[in-house]
Amino acid sequence: MYRNAMVTTDGSDIASAALPHIIQIVEPTGTVTVVEVIDEIGRVLARTTPAGFDLAGMGALDADIATQIVASQRQEAEQHLAAARATLEAAGLKNVVTVVLEG
């Protein structure tokens, strides 16, 4: 049995399918860290802004939209992590740490 493990999630069924395996291989007193990665604002802006386009009057609007997108992703990630935590704790794991990373 392992003392520590890290598992990633995105809330999908495939990601959730890893949890029963984590339950089987981690000691009940071990630590499981569950991580979900969301976009950072710069990445959202880079994907939504055409190259070479001058955002002079629209920059604030685009930054606000990017901020809302990242906030929405964070909220969803926290829900996914809470569900994973509940599953792991219900199985008897006592030390479950959840982390949202941007990048």
Side-chain angles (χ1 to χ4, degrees):
M1 305 259 324
Y2 291 94
R3 190 170 206 169
N4 299 299
M6 181 173 69
V7 62
T8 61
T9 190
D10 60 5
S12 68
D13 291 341
I14 291 172
S16 297
L19 298 179
H21 300 288
I22 294 295
I23 292 164
Q24 292 178 352
I25 65 169
V26 176
E27 298 173 3
T29 58
T31 300
V32 177
T33 303
V34 187
V35 178
E36 183 159 345
V37 180
I38 62 173
D39 288 321
E40 56 190 9
I41 291 172
R43 185 167 174 89
V44 173
L45 285 172
R47 284 192 310 215
T48 58
T49 304
F53 185 71
D54 182 15
L55 295 176
M58 298 173 46
L61 177 64
D62 284 336
D64 289 343
I65 291 170
T67 300
Q68 291 173 12
I69 290 169
V70 172
S72 177
Q73 288 180 358
R74 181 173 294 282
Q75 183 178 12
E76 284 188 45
E78 289 172 355
Q79 291 172 358
H80 300 156
L81 293 169
R85 176 193 295 271
T87 298
L88 295 169
E89 288 178 345
L93 292 168
K94 296 178 181 11
N95 301 313
V96 179
V97 177
T98 60
V99 180
V100 177
L101 299 175
E102 289 186 21

